[in-house]
Coordinates of all heavy atoms in Angstrom, one line a residue:
M242 N -35.3 35.5 100.2 CA -35.2 37.0 99.9 C -36.8 37.3 99.5 O -37.4 36.5 98.9 CB -34.3 37.3 98.6 CG -34.4 38.7 98.3 SD -33.1 39.2 97.2 CE -31.8 39.3 98.3
R243 N -37.2 38.4 99.8 CA -38.6 38.9 99.7 C -38.7 39.2 98.1 O -38.0 40.1 97.6 CB -38.9 40.0 100.4 CG -38.9 39.6 102.0 CD -39.3 40.8 102.9 NE -40.6 41.1 102.6 CZ -41.3 42.1 103.3 NH1 -40.6 42.7 104.2 NH2 -42.6 42.2 103.2
N244 N -39.8 38.9 97.5 CA -40.1 39.1 96.2 C -41.1 40.3 96.0 O -41.4 40.8 95.0 CB -40.7 37.9 95.5 CG -39.6 36.9 95.2 OD1 -38.5 37.1 95.1 ND2 -40.2 35.6 95.2
R245 N -41.6 40.7 97.3 CA -42.7 41.7 97.3 C -42.0 43.1 97.2 O -41.5 43.5 98.1 CB -43.5 41.7 98.6 CG -44.3 40.4 98.5 CD -45.2 40.2 99.8 NE -45.8 38.9 99.8 CZ -45.3 38.0 100.7 NH1 -44.5 38.2 101.7 NH2 -46.1 36.8 100.7
T246 N -42.1 43.7 96.0 CA -41.4 44.9 95.9 C -42.4 46.0 95.4 O -42.0 47.2 95.3 CB -40.3 44.9 94.8 OG1 -40.9 44.5 93.6 CG2 -39.2 43.8 95.1
V247 N -43.6 45.8 95.2 CA -44.6 46.7 94.8 C -45.6 46.9 95.8 O -46.2 46.0 96.4 CB -45.4 46.3 93.4 CG1 -46.4 47.3 93.1 CG2 -44.3 46.1 92.4
G248 N -46.0 48.2 96.2 CA -47.0 48.5 97.2 C -48.3 48.9 96.5 O -48.4 49.3 95.4
I249 N -49.4 48.6 97.3 CA -50.6 49.1 97.0 C -51.1 50.0 98.1 O -51.2 49.5 99.3 CB -51.6 47.9 96.8 CG1 -51.1 47.1 95.7 CG2 -53.0 48.3 96.6 CD1 -52.0 45.6 95.6
N250 N -51.6 51.3 97.8 CA -52.0 52.1 98.9 C -53.6 52.2 98.9 O -54.3 52.3 97.8 CB -51.5 53.5 98.5 CG -50.1 53.6 98.8 OD1 -49.6 53.1 99.7 ND2 -49.4 54.2 97.8
V251 N -54.3 52.1 100.0 CA -55.8 52.0 100.0 C -56.1 53.0 101.2 O -55.5 52.8 102.4 CB -56.2 50.5 100.4 CG1 -57.7 50.6 100.6 CG2 -55.7 49.6 99.4
R252 N -57.0 53.8 101.0 CA -57.5 54.6 102.0 C -58.7 54.2 102.7 O -59.6 53.6 102.1 CB -57.9 56.1 101.5 CG -56.8 56.8 100.7 CD -56.0 57.5 101.7 NE -55.0 58.4 101.2 CZ -53.9 58.7 101.8 NH1 -53.6 58.3 103.1 NH2 -53.0 59.4 101.2
V253 N -58.7 54.2 104.0 CA -59.8 53.7 104.9 C -60.0 54.5 106.0 O -59.1 55.5 106.2 CB -59.4 52.2 105.5 CG1 -59.3 51.2 104.4 CG2 -58.3 52.4 106.4
T254 N -61.2 54.5 106.6 CA -61.4 55.3 107.8 C -60.7 54.8 109.1 O -60.2 53.6 109.0 CB -62.9 55.3 108.1 OG1 -63.3 54.0 108.5 CG2 -63.8 55.8 106.9
V255 N -60.7 55.5 110.2 CA -60.0 55.1 111.3 C -60.6 53.8 111.8 O -60.0 52.7 112.2 CB -60.0 56.1 112.4 CG1 -59.4 55.7 113.7 CG2 -59.1 57.3 111.9
T256 N -62.0 53.9 111.8 CA -62.8 52.7 112.2 C -62.5 51.4 111.5 O -62.2 50.4 111.9 CB -64.3 52.9 112.2 OG1 -64.6 54.1 113.1 CG2 -65.1 51.9 112.7
E257 N -62.4 51.6 110.2 CA -62.1 50.5 109.2 C -60.8 49.9 109.6 O -60.6 48.7 109.6 CB -62.3 50.9 107.8 CG -63.7 51.2 107.4 CD -63.6 51.8 105.9 OE1 -62.7 52.4 105.5 OE2 -64.7 51.7 105.3
K258 N -59.9 50.7 109.7 CA -58.4 50.2 110.0 C -58.4 49.5 111.4 O -57.8 48.4 111.5 CB -57.4 51.4 110.1 CG -56.1 51.0 110.3 CD -55.0 52.0 110.3 CE -53.6 51.3 110.4 NZ -52.5 52.3 110.6
K259 N -59.1 50.1 112.4 CA -59.2 49.4 113.7 C -59.7 48.0 113.4 O -59.3 47.0 114.1 CB -60.0 50.2 114.7 CG -59.3 51.4 115.2 CD -60.0 52.2 116.3 CE -59.3 53.4 116.7 NZ -60.2 54.1 117.7
K260 N -60.8 47.9 112.8 CA -61.5 46.6 112.6 C -60.6 45.7 111.8 O -60.5 44.5 112.2 CB -62.9 46.7 111.8 CG -63.6 45.5 111.6 CD -64.9 45.8 111.1 CE -65.6 44.3 110.8 NZ -67.0 44.6 110.3
V261 N -60.0 46.1 110.7 CA -59.1 45.1 110.1 C -58.0 44.6 110.8 O -57.5 43.6 110.8 CB -58.7 45.8 108.6 CG1 -57.8 45.0 107.9 CG2 -60.1 46.0 107.7
T262 N -57.3 45.6 111.5 CA -56.3 45.4 112.3 C -56.8 44.3 113.4 O -55.8 43.3 113.6 CB -55.7 46.6 113.0 OG1 -55.2 47.5 112.0 CG2 -54.5 46.3 114.0
M263 N -57.8 44.4 114.0 CA -58.2 43.5 115.0 C -58.5 42.2 114.4 O -58.1 41.1 114.9 CB -59.5 43.9 115.6 CG -60.1 43.0 116.6 SD -62.0 43.3 116.9 CE -62.6 42.8 115.3
L264 N -59.0 42.1 113.1 CA -59.3 40.8 112.4 C -57.9 40.1 112.1 O -57.8 39.0 112.3 CB -60.1 41.0 111.2 CG -61.5 41.4 111.5 CD1 -62.2 41.9 110.0 CD2 -62.4 40.2 112.0
A265 N -56.9 40.9 111.7 CA -55.6 40.3 111.5 C -55.0 39.8 112.8 O -54.5 38.7 112.7 CB -54.7 41.4 110.8
K266 N -55.2 40.5 113.8 CA -54.4 40.1 115.2 C -55.2 38.8 115.7 O -54.6 37.7 116.0 CB -54.7 41.1 116.1 CG -54.1 40.9 117.5 CD -54.1 42.0 118.3 CE -53.4 41.5 119.7 NZ -53.5 42.7 120.6
K267 N -56.5 38.6 115.4 CA -57.2 37.5 115.8 C -56.8 36.3 115.0 O -56.7 35.3 115.5 CB -58.7 37.7 115.6 CG -59.7 36.7 116.0 CD -61.1 37.0 115.6 CE -62.0 36.0 116.1 NZ -63.4 36.3 115.9
C268 N -56.3 36.5 113.7 CA -55.8 35.4 112.9 C -54.3 35.2 113.2 O -53.8 34.3 112.5 CB -56.1 35.7 111.5 SG -57.8 35.7 111.0
G269 N -53.7 36.0 113.9 CA -52.3 35.7 114.1 C -51.4 36.3 113.0 O -50.4 35.7 112.7
L270 N -51.9 37.2 112.2 CA -51.2 37.6 111.0 C -51.0 39.2 111.2 O -51.6 39.9 111.9 CB -52.2 37.4 109.8 CG -52.5 36.0 109.3 CD1 -53.5 36.1 108.3 CD2 -51.2 35.4 109.1
S271 N -50.0 39.6 110.4 CA -49.7 41.1 110.2 C -50.9 41.7 109.5 O -51.6 41.0 108.8 CB -48.3 41.2 109.6 OG -48.5 41.0 108.3
L272 N -51.0 43.0 109.6 CA -52.1 43.7 108.7 C -51.8 43.4 107.3 O -52.8 43.1 106.6 CB -52.2 45.0 109.1 CG -53.1 46.0 108.3 CD1 -54.6 45.4 108.6 CD2 -52.9 47.4 108.8
S273 N -50.6 43.5 106.8 CA -50.2 43.3 105.5 C -50.6 41.8 104.9 O -51.2 41.6 103.9 CB -48.8 43.5 105.1 OG -48.4 44.9 105.3
A274 N -50.2 40.7 105.8 CA -50.4 39.5 105.4 C -51.8 39.2 105.4 O -52.3 38.4 104.5 CB -49.7 38.5 106.4
Y275 N -52.6 39.7 106.4 CA -54.2 39.5 106.4 C -54.7 40.1 105.2 O -55.5 39.4 104.5 CB -54.6 40.3 107.7 CG -56.3 39.9 107.7 CD1 -56.8 38.8 108.2 CD2 -57.0 41.1 107.3 CE1 -58.2 38.6 108.2 CE2 -58.5 40.9 107.4 CZ -59.0 39.8 107.8 OH -60.2 39.6 107.9
L276 N -54.4 41.5 104.8 CA -55.0 42.0 103.6 C -54.6 41.3 102.3 O -55.4 41.1 101.4 CB -54.5 43.5 103.6 CG -55.0 44.4 104.6 CD1 -54.5 45.8 104.5 CD2 -56.5 44.5 104.5
R277 N -53.3 40.9 102.3 CA -52.9 40.1 101.0 C -53.7 38.8 101.0 O -54.2 38.4 99.8 CB -51.4 39.7 101.3 CG -50.8 39.2 99.8 CD -49.2 38.9 100.2 NE -48.6 40.0 100.7 CZ -48.1 40.1 101.9 NH1 -48.2 39.1 102.9 NH2 -47.5 41.3 102.4
Q278 N -53.9 38.0 101.9 CA -54.6 36.9 102.0 C -56.1 37.1 101.5 O -56.7 36.4 100.7 CB -54.6 36.0 103.3 CG -53.3 35.5 103.6 CD -53.2 34.6 104.8 OE1 -54.1 34.2 105.3 NE2 -51.9 34.3 105.3
R279 N -56.7 38.2 102.0 CA -58.2 38.4 101.8 C -58.3 38.9 100.3 O -59.2 38.4 99.7 CB -58.7 39.5 102.6 CG -58.7 39.0 104.2 CD -59.7 37.9 104.4 NE -61.0 38.5 104.1 CZ -62.0 37.6 103.8 NH1 -61.9 36.4 103.6 NH2 -63.2 38.3 103.5
A280 N -57.4 39.6 99.9 CA -57.3 40.1 98.4 C -57.3 38.9 97.5 O -57.7 39.0 96.4 CB -56.2 41.2 98.3
L281 N -56.6 37.9 97.9 CA -56.2 36.8 96.9 C -57.3 35.7 97.2 O -57.0 34.6 96.8 CB -54.9 36.4 97.2 CG -53.7 37.3 96.7 CD1 -52.4 36.7 97.2 CD2 -53.9 37.6 95.3
E282 N -58.5 36.0 97.8 CA -59.7 35.2 98.1 C -59.3 34.0 99.0 O -59.9 33.0 98.9 CB -60.2 34.7 96.7 CG -60.7 35.8 96.0 CD -61.3 35.4 94.5 OE1 -61.5 34.2 94.4 OE2 -61.6 36.2 93.8
Y283 N -58.3 34.1 99.9 CA -58.1 33.2 100.9 C -58.6 33.8 102.2 O -58.4 34.9 102.5 CB -56.6 33.1 101.1 CG -56.2 32.0 102.2 CD1 -56.5 30.5 102.2 CD2 -55.8 32.4 103.4 CE1 -56.2 29.8 103.1 CE2 -55.6 31.7 104.5 CZ -55.7 30.3 104.3 OH -55.5 29.5 105.5
E284 N -59.4 32.9 102.9 CA -59.9 33.3 104.2 C -59.3 32.7 105.4 O -59.3 31.5 105.6 CB -61.5 32.9 104.3 CG -62.1 33.4 105.6 CD -63.5 33.7 105.3 OE1 -64.2 33.7 104.2 OE2 -64.2 34.0 106.4
P285 N -58.3 33.6 106.0 CA -57.6 33.1 107.1 C -58.5 32.8 108.4 O -59.5 33.4 108.5 CB -56.7 34.2 107.4 CG -57.3 35.4 106.8 CD -58.1 35.0 105.7
G286 N -58.0 31.7 108.9 CA -58.8 31.2 110.1 C -58.3 32.0 111.4 O -57.2 32.5 111.4
G287 N -59.3 32.0 112.3 CA -58.9 32.6 113.6 C -57.8 31.7 114.3 O -57.7 30.7 114.3
H288 N -57.1 32.4 115.2 CA -56.0 31.8 115.9 C -56.6 31.7 117.4 O -57.0 32.7 118.0 CB -54.9 32.7 115.9 CG -53.6 32.1 116.5 ND1 -53.5 30.9 116.9 CD2 -52.4 32.7 116.9 CE1 -52.4 30.6 117.3 NE2 -51.7 31.7 117.4
P289 N -56.6 30.5 117.9 CA -57.1 30.4 119.3 C -56.3 31.0 120.3 O -55.1 31.3 120.1 CB -57.0 28.9 119.6 CG -56.8 28.1 118.3 CD -56.1 29.4 117.5
P290 N -57.0 31.6 121.5 CA -56.2 32.4 122.4 C -55.3 31.5 123.1 O -55.3 30.2 123.1 CB -57.3 32.7 123.5 CG -58.5 32.2 123.0 CD -58.3 31.5 121.7
K291 N -54.2 32.1 123.7 CA -53.1 31.5 124.3 C -53.7 30.4 125.5 O -53.0 29.4 125.7 CB -52.2 32.4 125.1 CG -51.0 32.0 125.9 CD -50.3 33.1 126.4 CE -51.0 33.9 127.4 NZ -50.2 35.0 128.1
E292 N -54.7 30.7 126.1 CA -55.2 29.9 127.1 C -55.6 28.4 126.6 O -55.6 27.5 127.4 CB -56.5 30.6 127.8 CG -56.1 31.9 128.6 CD -55.8 33.0 127.7 OE1 -56.3 33.1 126.6 OE2 -55.4 34.0 128.3
V293 N -56.1 28.5 125.3 CA -56.4 27.1 124.9 C -55.2 26.3 124.7 O -55.2 25.0 125.2 CB -56.9 27.3 123.4 CG1 -57.1 26.0 122.7 CG2 -58.3 28.0 123.4
F294 N -54.1 26.8 124.5 CA -52.8 25.9 124.3 C -52.3 25.5 125.8 O -51.9 24.5 126.1 CB -51.7 26.7 123.5 CG -52.1 27.0 122.2 CD1 -52.6 28.1 121.8 CD2 -52.0 25.9 121.3 CE1 -52.8 28.3 120.4 CE2 -52.3 26.2 119.9 CZ -52.7 27.3 119.5
N295 N -52.6 26.6 126.7 CA -52.3 26.3 128.2 C -53.2 24.9 128.7 O -52.6 24.1 129.3 CB -52.5 27.3 129.1 CG -51.6 28.5 128.8 OD1 -50.5 28.3 128.2 ND2 -51.9 29.8 129.2
V296 N -54.4 25.0 128.3 CA -55.3 23.8 128.8 C -54.7 22.5 128.0 O -54.7 21.5 128.7 CB -56.7 24.1 128.3 CG1 -57.5 22.9 128.6 CG2 -57.2 25.3 129.3
L297 N -54.5 22.6 126.8 CA -53.9 21.4 126.2 C -52.6 20.8 126.7 O -52.5 19.6 126.8 CB -53.8 21.7 124.6 CG -55.2 21.9 123.9 CD1 -54.9 22.2 122.5 CD2 -55.9 20.6 123.8
D298 N -51.8 21.8 127.0 CA -50.5 21.5 127.7 C -50.8 20.8 129.1 O -50.2 19.8 129.5 CB -49.5 22.7 127.9 CG -48.9 23.2 126.7 OD1 -49.0 22.4 125.5 OD2 -48.5 24.3 126.6
K299 N -51.8 21.2 129.9 CA -52.1 20.7 131.1 C -52.7 19.3 131.0 O -52.3 18.4 131.8 CB -53.1 21.7 131.8 CG -53.5 21.2 133.2 CD -52.2 21.4 134.0 CE -52.6 21.1 135.5 NZ -51.5 21.1 136.3
L300 N -53.4 19.1 129.9 CA -54.0 17.7 129.7 C -52.8 16.7 129.4 O -52.8 15.6 129.8 CB -55.0 17.7 128.4 CG -56.3 18.2 128.6 CD1 -57.1 18.3 127.2 CD2 -57.1 17.4 129.6
D301 N -51.8 17.3 128.7 CA -50.6 16.4 128.5 C -50.0 16.1 129.8 O -49.5 14.9 129.9 CB -49.5 17.1 127.5 CG -50.1 17.0 126.1 OD1 -51.0 16.3 125.7 OD2 -49.7 18.0 125.3
E302 N -49.8 17.0 130.6 CA -49.3 16.7 131.8 C -50.0 15.7 132.7 O -49.5 14.9 133.4 CB -49.2 18.0 132.7 CG -48.1 19.1 132.2 CD -48.0 20.4 133.0 OE1 -48.5 20.4 134.2 OE2 -47.8 21.4 132.4
I303 N -51.3 15.8 132.8 CA -52.2 15.0 133.4 C -52.0 13.5 132.9 O -51.9 12.5 133.7 CB -53.7 15.3 133.3 CG1 -53.8 16.8 134.1 CG2 -54.6 14.3 133.9 CD1 -55.2 17.4 134.0
A304 N -51.9 13.4 131.7 CA -51.7 12.1 131.0 C -50.4 11.5 131.3 O -50.4 10.3 131.5 CB -51.9 12.3 129.4
E305 N -49.4 12.3 131.5 CA -48.1 11.7 131.9 C -48.2 11.0 133.2 O -47.3 10.1 133.5 CB -47.1 12.8 131.8 CG -46.7 13.2 130.4 CD -45.8 14.4 130.4 OE1 -45.2 14.8 131.6 OE2 -45.5 15.0 129.5
G306 N -49.0 11.4 134.1 CA -49.0 10.7 135.4 C -50.1 9.7 135.6 O -50.3 9.2 136.6
C307 N -50.7 9.2 134.4 CA -51.8 8.2 134.5 C -51.2 6.9 134.1 O -50.1 6.8 133.7 CB -52.9 8.6 133.6 SG -53.8 10.1 134.2
T308 N -52.0 5.8 134.1 CA -51.7 4.5 133.5 C -51.4 4.6 132.0 O -52.1 5.5 131.5 CB -52.8 3.4 133.8 OG1 -54.0 3.9 133.2 CG2 -52.9 3.4 135.4
P309 N -50.6 3.8 131.5 CA -50.5 3.7 130.2 C -51.7 3.8 129.2 O -51.9 4.7 128.3 CB -49.6 2.5 129.8 CG -48.9 2.3 131.2 CD -49.9 2.6 132.1
A310 N -52.8 3.0 129.7 CA -54.1 3.0 128.9 C -54.8 4.4 129.0 O -55.2 4.8 128.0 CB -55.0 1.8 129.3
T311 N -54.9 4.9 130.2 CA -55.4 6.2 130.3 C -54.7 7.3 129.7 O -55.2 8.2 129.1 CB -55.6 6.5 131.9 OG1 -56.3 5.5 132.6 CG2 -56.3 7.8 132.1
C312 N -53.4 7.3 129.8 CA -52.4 8.2 129.2 C -52.8 8.2 127.7 O -52.9 9.4 127.2 CB -51.0 7.9 129.4 SG -49.8 8.9 128.5
A313 N -52.8 7.0 127.0 CA -53.0 7.0 125.6 C -54.5 7.6 125.2 O -54.5 8.4 124.3 CB -53.1 5.6 125.1
E314 N -55.4 7.4 126.2 CA -56.8 7.8 125.8 C -56.8 9.5 126.0 O -57.4 10.1 125.3 CB -57.8 7.3 126.9 CG -59.1 7.5 126.5 CD -60.2 6.7 127.4 OE1 -59.8 5.7 128.1 OE2 -61.4 7.2 127.5
I315 N -56.2 9.9 127.0 CA -56.1 11.4 127.2 C -55.4 12.0 126.2 O -55.8 13.0 125.6 CB -55.6 11.7 128.6 CG1 -56.5 11.2 129.8 CG2 -55.3 13.3 128.7 CD1 -55.9 11.4 131.2
G316 N -54.3 11.4 125.7 CA -53.4 11.9 124.6 C -54.2 12.0 123.3 O -54.1 13.0 122.6
T317 N -55.0 10.9 123.0 CA -55.8 10.9 121.8 C -56.9 12.0 121.8 O -57.1 12.7 120.8 CB -56.5 9.6 121.6 OG1 -55.4 8.6 121.6 CG2 -57.5 9.5 120.3
C318 N -57.5 12.2 122.9 CA -58.4 13.2 123.0 C -57.8 14.7 122.9 O -58.3 15.5 122.2 CB -59.2 13.2 124.4 SG -60.3 11.8 124.6
A319 N -56.7 14.9 123.6 CA -56.0 16.2 123.4 C -55.5 16.4 121.9 O -55.7 17.6 121.6 CB -54.7 16.2 124.4
D320 N -55.1 15.4 121.3 CA -54.8 15.6 119.9 C -55.9 16.0 119.0 O -55.9 16.8 118.2 CB -54.1 14.2 119.4 CG -52.8 14.1 120.0 OD1 -52.2 14.9 120.5 OD2 -52.2 12.9 119.8
R321 N -57.2 15.3 119.3 CA -58.5 15.6 118.6 C -58.8 17.1 118.7 O -59.1 17.8 117.8 CB -59.5 14.7 119.0 CG -59.4 13.4 118.4 CD -60.7 12.5 118.8 NE -60.5 11.1 118.6 CZ -61.0 10.2 119.4 NH1 -61.9 10.5 120.2 NH2 -60.8 8.9 119.1
L322 N -58.6 17.6 120.1 CA -59.0 18.9 120.4 C -58.1 19.7 119.7 O -58.5 20.8 119.0 CB -58.8 19.2 121.9 CG -59.9 18.5 122.7 CD1 -59.6 18.7 124.2 CD2 -61.2 19.2 122.4
R323 N -56.7 19.6 119.6 CA -55.7 20.4 118.9 C -56.1 20.5 117.5 O -56.1 21.5 116.9 CB -54.3 19.8 119.0 CG -53.5 20.2 120.2 CD -52.0 19.7 120.1 NE -51.6 19.9 121.5 CZ -51.7 19.0 122.4 NH1 -52.2 17.8 122.3 NH2 -51.1 19.0 123.6
D324 N -56.3 19.4 116.9 CA -56.8 19.3 115.5 C -58.1 20.3 115.2 O -58.1 21.0 114.2 CB -57.1 17.9 115.0 CG -55.8 17.1 114.8 OD1 -54.7 17.7 115.0 OD2 -56.0 15.9 114.7
L325 N -59.0 20.2 116.0 CA -60.2 21.0 115.8 C -60.0 22.5 116.1 O -60.6 23.2 115.3 CB -61.3 20.5 116.8 CG -62.0 19.1 116.6 CD1 -62.8 18.6 117.8 CD2 -62.8 19.2 115.3
L326 N -59.1 22.7 117.1 CA -58.8 24.2 117.4 C -57.9 24.8 116.6 O -58.1 25.9 116.3 CB -58.5 24.2 118.8 CG -59.5 23.9 119.9 CD1 -58.8 23.7 121.2 CD2 -60.7 24.9 120.0
I327 N -56.8 24.1 116.0 CA -55.9 24.9 115.3 C -55.8 24.4 113.8 O -54.7 24.5 113.1 CB -54.5 24.8 115.8 CG1 -54.0 23.2 116.1 CG2 -54.5 25.5 117.1 CD1 -52.6 23.1 116.8
G328 N -56.9 23.7 113.3 CA -56.9 23.4 111.9 C -56.3 22.2 111.3 O -56.0 22.1 110.2
G329 N -56.1 21.2 112.2 CA -55.6 19.9 111.7 C -56.5 19.1 110.9 O -57.8 19.5 110.8
N330 N -56.2 18.0 110.5 CA -57.1 17.2 109.6 C -57.8 16.3 110.6 O -57.6 15.5 111.3 CB -56.4 16.4 108.7 CG -55.8 17.3 107.7 OD1 -56.4 18.3 107.3 ND2 -54.7 16.8 107.1

């Protein structure tokens, strides 16, 4: 159940709203979630474009058709890329 029951109204210009909406979308967040995180001093990271995930999926497909040693090497590289791109450790 949602605990958020209190609203905060903020007036902005049309340009400001467009910019904040774009930043929220870039992070894969709703406008409310983005503003909440920023207000609470959390800096949300950007969300990679869909094409990045398509390339990583293609690397996995290539690895499946290779020798076991090559497959493991490609898999390790793909995992490293995933970690760098989507915030893994």
Side-chain angles (χ1 to χ4, degrees):
M242 180 169 279
R243 294 177 75 176
N244 293 330
R245 296 183 186 108
T246 58
V247 178
I249 299 174
N250 296 314
V251 178
R252 296 278 182 207
V253 295
T254 66
V255 171
T256 303
E257 289 170 332
K258 183 176 181 185
K259 285 180 183 179
K260 183 175 181 179
V261 175
T262 301
M263 179 202 63
L264 291 168
K266 185 176 180 181
K267 185 177 178 182
C268 293
L270 297 170
S271 68
L272 181 57
S273 293
Y275 180 81
L276 291 171
R277 190 178 309 109
Q278 288 184 15
R279 295 295 294 154
L281 297 173
E282 298 183 7
Y283 175 74
E284 183 147 353
H288 189 14
K291 175 177 69 170
E292 292 79 12
V293 170
F294 296 100
N295 293 341
V296 169
L297 292 169
D298 290 343
K299 188 65 175 172
L300 282 174
D301 290 335
E302 288 176 26
I303 292 169
E305 289 174 8
C307 296
T308 64
T311 304
C312 176
E314 190 174 341
I315 292 172
T317 299
C318 290
D320 289 344
R321 283 187 199 150
L322 287 170
R323 271 187 196 85
D324 289 346
L325 288 170
L326 292 167
I327 58 177
N330 296 327

